Amino acid sequence: MKRIILSLLVLSLIISSGCVNRGDVIELDGTEVREYQGERLSSVNDFRENSIRGPQEVDVKDYRLMVFGLVDRPMNYTYGQVLDFQGYSKVVTLFCVEGWNAKILWEGVLVSDIVGASEPVEGADTVIFHAADGYASSLPLGYLGDNRIIMAYRMNGVTLPEERGFPFQLVAEDKWGYKWVKWITGIELSDDPSYEGYWESRGYSNEGDVDRPFFG
Ligand SMILES: Nc1nc2c(c(=O)[nH]1)N[C@H]1C(S)=C(S)[C@@H](COP(=O)(O)O)O[C@H]1N2
Ligand SMILES: [Mo]
């Protein structure tokens, strides 16, 4: 009996010391998943790194996610606090305007949960995502809620690699790649639907729908 209690103690120590425990599944970072429910997935390496300032190194200890702007409750979350929100997963394909794409199993938190916790004021209709490299892009608040858009912390079962936007990349389903903000550090609520992000202010469409041309 004593031995069982001891091993349970040791086990719980191991679990609490770095592995992520979601319900009854203890997920360890291992090899990425390449097939999901019969669907072939791309690899986390099938992306072309062409970010405006190259991959960003975000130190998870100092990391904060700021939620600010037109909200009643501005927030400042640590990485762990963001992961405490309910997790969701879905398979979504990223289409880059340069002609390549990648189909990935994403896991993350709902943007609408995070935004909702900060209580947007009436009239707020636009969400601007800010990133560690100075990049920014915006999307309508309605689009983010209606499509249950997530901010991913894991892809194909592994923690987001640095080049892919660790700690968080927006999974902007049905939008061109430039809407998929990586290294997210800020979520700003605004009432300006015509706000233009980095590529949008350089001529890319503000809607960014993949079924329409991205330029003009
Ligand atoms: N912070 C940040 N996010 C960004 C970018 C960037 O330069 N900085 N580039 C965007 C573009 S144009 C694309 S196509 C996707 C591609 O992701 P990848 O660089 O991981 O391939 O990231 C998007 N998110
Ligand atoms: Mo892109």
Side-chain angles (χ1 to χ4, degrees):
M1 191 60 191
K2 241 190 197 159
R3 231 194 274 160
I4 296 177
I5 293 175
L6 196 72
S7 41
L8 278 176
L9 241 158
V10 171
L11 192 69
S12 61
L13 262 174
I14 293 172
I15 293 170
S16 61
S17 67
C19 317
V20 186
N21 186 357
R22 257 169 247 302
D24 53 356
V25 181
I26 301 166
E27 293 168 8
L28 305 170
D29 264 349
T31 320
E32 64 165 324
V33 177
R34 294 296 306 279
E35 204 181 294
Y36 183 71
Q37 296 181 350
E39 276 186 278
R40 186 90 190 128
L41 300 173
S42 309
S43 161
V44 302
N45 301 311
D46 287 345
F47 290 69
R48 258 179 249 167
E49 218 310 305
N50 58 358
S51 308
I52 54 165
R53 287 194 179 82
Q56 300 295 300
E57 243 179 78
V58 174
D59 185 345
V60 73
K61 288 197 304 301
D62 307 330
Y63 176 80
R64 293 293 181 275
L65 175 71
M66 267 180 56
V67 187
F68 63 105
L70 298 182
V71 292
D72 278 335
R73 298 184 63 214
M75 295 294 287
N76 221 344
Y77 296 104
T78 63
Y79 180 64
Q81 286 169 333
V82 177
L83 266 59
D84 282 343
F85 280 85
Q86 174 64 51
Y88 292 84
S89 66
K90 52 176 159 179
V91 173
V92 185
T93 303
L94 178 150
F95 298 91
C96 176
V97 299
E98 293 178 323
W100 56 271
N101 55 66
K103 187 187 210 175
I104 297 286
L105 169 64
W106 304 93
E107 287 174 71
V109 296
L110 286 183
V111 173
S112 53
D113 281 352
I114 293 190
V115 166
S118 280
E119 300 168 13
V121 304
E122 224 189 288
D125 56 5
T126 301
V127 182
I128 306 166
F129 296 88
H130 298 272
D133 57 351
Y135 191 84
S137 186
S138 66
L139 285 160
L141 183 58
Y143 156 84
L144 295 164
D146 295 349
N147 297 286
R148 311 189 87 195
I149 297 303
I150 64 173
M151 209 173 77
Y153 45 72
R154 211 175 288 150
M155 52 198 294
N156 290 356
V158 297
T159 301
L160 237 64
E162 214 155 68
E163 321 87 77
R164 296 286 78 77
F166 178 84
F168 302 110
Q169 176 172 33
L170 190 68
V171 180
E173 201 168 348
D174 301 326
K175 303 286 184 184
W176 287 111
Y178 60 87
K179 293 284 183 184
W180 294 53
V181 180
K182 302 194 284 187
W183 309 295
I184 299 172
T185 53
I187 297 182
E188 180 184 2
L189 274 288
S190 147
D191 59 2
D192 178 13
S194 59
Y195 170 90
E196 290 179 343
Y198 185 88
W199 285 116
E200 293 89 333
S201 67
R202 289 161 176 81
Y204 285 20
S205 127
N206 209 7
E207 286 68 40
D209 293 323
V210 285
D211 57 359
R212 316 203 45 183
F214 63 90
F215 217 79

